[in-house]
């Protein structure tokens, strides 16, 4: 039993069997995207594998794996792009794969992302299945697979690794496995700055549980061995969860000699920061200065409105507290940051609970209709992913 009033988790073997249809569907969708990418890239005389493993952020991760930290590029406008902006868990895993196999660091990044994406799909299924049931879990995984930017899930980027850690951390919170949740939050904090969202989910949910216990204090809640064990687990989770993010940020501050705020200085060199969405709003407003660009502006507004609507729907549907806290934090960090605006769809990839209202609607519809919708979106997403990666791509 847990202190979150949720069902007991199935055994590992039973959980894998239960998730098998979702994982098979996920692999099929992503394989379709990979085929589309290879066909499109071949027609343009480009290497699809190079696009997946050796462009943009993937190159920075490989440099960290190969050379360690300290590499930077100084631009003509005075900006300094330092590899200290990239959190270390993915490069560490790339280095581990290269040390244990004949694969290169870039190959290792692709392998880690591929395996992590499957782990993420399983974690998304586990969360959705636990809260809403198996059919919703399958739909949630397929929706995550068919996202227009889903091709990133198999790039040598950190999104899939982070989503896997975040999804299983949330599942651990939902099932009362507090030490596991804290450990996974620690690892998520070593993967991306948005690991703070996982920390927030652990902390807020644990604090709410302590408050609830205080209001319903009784010998069974706090005095029994089970009660004491649960409280101890929660405390340990709260202590463990922030260590990854805090440890790396403090190390960067020490490395740069700029103290606790040194990491913010590193991000400023990339023109990244948190301005409450001002820069993004100005970027959207500028689209309305000409007619063709105005269409893009309308699309951006509709996209942001859809994200807000999905989150509000999750609140109305009374999603569990850890999901709401996590999703709110990921969404806020993605939309309110002053980073490159073309990256925002990619930055929202880990916010998978946003898809749960859509998964509920698909699960309640007729199977033929749901399959048709998902199939059409999968084809469109595969084509778009191939076009996108052969063009501007995900910076």
């Amino acid at each position: 039993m847990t202190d979150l009033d949720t069902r007991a988790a199935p055994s590992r073997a039973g959980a894998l069997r239960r998730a098998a249809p979702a994982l098979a569907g996920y692999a099929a969708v992503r394989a379709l995207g990979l085929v589309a990418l290879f066909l499109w890239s071949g027609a343009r005389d480009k290497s699809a594998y190079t696009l997946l493993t050796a462009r943009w952020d993937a190159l920075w991760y490989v440099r960290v794996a190969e050379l360690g930290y300290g590499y930077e590029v100084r631009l003509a406008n005075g900006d300094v792009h330092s590899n200290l902006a990239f959190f270390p868990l993915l490069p560490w895993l790339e280095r581990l794969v290269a040390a244990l196999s004949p694969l290169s660091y870039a190959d290792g990044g692709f392998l880690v992302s591929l395996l992590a994406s499957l782990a993420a799909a399983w974690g998304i299924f586990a969360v959705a299945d636990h809260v809403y049931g198996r059919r919703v879990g399958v739909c949630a995984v397929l929706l995550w697979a068919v996202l227009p930017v889903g091709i990133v899930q198999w790039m040598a980027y950190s999104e899939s690794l982070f989503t896997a850690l975040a999804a299983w951390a949330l599942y651990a919170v939902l099932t009362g496995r507090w030490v596991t949740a804290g450990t996974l939050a620690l690892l998520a904090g070593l993967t991306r700055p948005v690991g703070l969202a996982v920390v927030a989910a652990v902390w807020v949910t644990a604090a709410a549980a302590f408050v609830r216990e205080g209001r319903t204090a009784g010998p069974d809640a706090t005095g029994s061995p089970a009660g004491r064990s649960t409280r101890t687990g929660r405390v340990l989770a709260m202590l463990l969860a922030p260590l990854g993010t805090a440890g790396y940020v403090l190390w960067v501050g020490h490395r740069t000699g700029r103290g606790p705020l040194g990491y913010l200085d590193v991000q400023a060199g990339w023109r990244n920061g948190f301005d409450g969405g001002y820069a993004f709003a100005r970027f959207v407003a500028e689209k309305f200065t000409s007619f063709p660009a105005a269409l893009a502006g309308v699309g951006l507004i509709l996209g942001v409105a859809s994200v807000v609507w999905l989150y509000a729907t999750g609140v109305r549907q009374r999603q569990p507290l850890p999901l709401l806290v996590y999703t709110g934090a990921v969404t806020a960090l993605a939309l309110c940051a002053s980073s490159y605006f073309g990256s925002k769809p990619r930055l929202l990839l880990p916010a998978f609970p946003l898809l749960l209202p859509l998964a509920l609607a698909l699960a309640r519809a007729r199977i033929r209709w749901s399959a048709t919708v998902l199939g059409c979106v999968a084809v469109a997403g595969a084509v778009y992913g191939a076009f996108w990666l052969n063009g501007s791509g995900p910076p």
Side-chain angles (χ1 to χ4, degrees), residues 117-294:
S117 74
L118 294 172
W122 189 4
I124 292 169
F125 172 83
V127 169
D129 178 33
H130 187 80
V131 178
Y132 295 115
R134 187 183 192 185
R135 191 168 177 180
V136 176
V138 173
C139 290
V141 170
L142 293 178
L143 284 170
W144 193 66
V146 302
L147 288 173
V149 294
I151 190 66
V152 175
Q153 295 163 13
W154 279 13
M155 292 182 68
Y157 275 35
S158 60
E159 272 76 11
S160 288
L161 179 60
F162 176 79
T163 304
L165 293 168
W168 284 108
L170 293 171
Y171 181 73
V173 172
L174 290 171
T175 55
R177 295 177 168 92
W178 287 103
V179 176
T180 299
T183 302
L184 291 172
L186 184 159
L187 293 173
L190 286 171
T191 307
R192 296 185 63 81
V194 76
L196 289 171
V198 188
V199 177
V202 172
W203 272 52
V204 172
T205 308
F210 281 122
V211 170
R212 185 169 59 249
E213 279 185 357
R215 290 175 178 173
T216 61
D220 291 338
T222 60
S224 67
R228 288 194 299 271
S229 176
T230 298
R231 288 171 63 86
T232 300
R234 273 193 242 122
V235 171
L236 288 174
M238 295 179 75
L239 293 174
L240 286 169
L243 293 182
T245 301
Y248 182 68
V249 167
L250 291 175
W251 179 80
V252 170
H254 174 74
R255 174 72 179 258
T256 60
R258 299 171 186 171
L261 300 182
Y263 184 75
L264 297 181
D265 292 337
V266 170
Q267 286 286 7
W270 287 82
R271 295 187 179 269
N272 292 336
F274 189 87
D275 62 1
Y278 171 76
F280 185 41
R282 187 175 63 183
F283 172 77
V284 174
E286 289 173 352
K287 293 294 181 182
F288 291 92
T289 58
S290 63
F291 172 71

Side-chain angles (χ1 to χ4, degrees), residues 20-35:
L23 296 179
Y26 175 80
V29 171
R30 292 283 19 105
L32 175 64
L34 203 62
V35 169

Side-chain angles (χ1 to χ4, degrees), residues 306-308 310-312 319 327 331 348 351-358:
S306 298
V307 169
V308 174
L310 286 171
Y311 184 75
Q319 285 184 11
T327 309
T331 303
L348 285 168
F352 68 88
L354 288 173
L355 301 172
L356 293 182
L358 299 177

Side-chain angles (χ1 to χ4, degrees), residues 351-375:
F352 68 88
L354 288 173
L355 301 172
L356 293 182
L358 299 177
L360 273 168
L362 283 175
R364 291 167 179 167
R366 293 182 178 179
I367 294 179
R368 180 179 298 178
W369 187 87
S370 299
T372 300
V373 170
L374 287 170

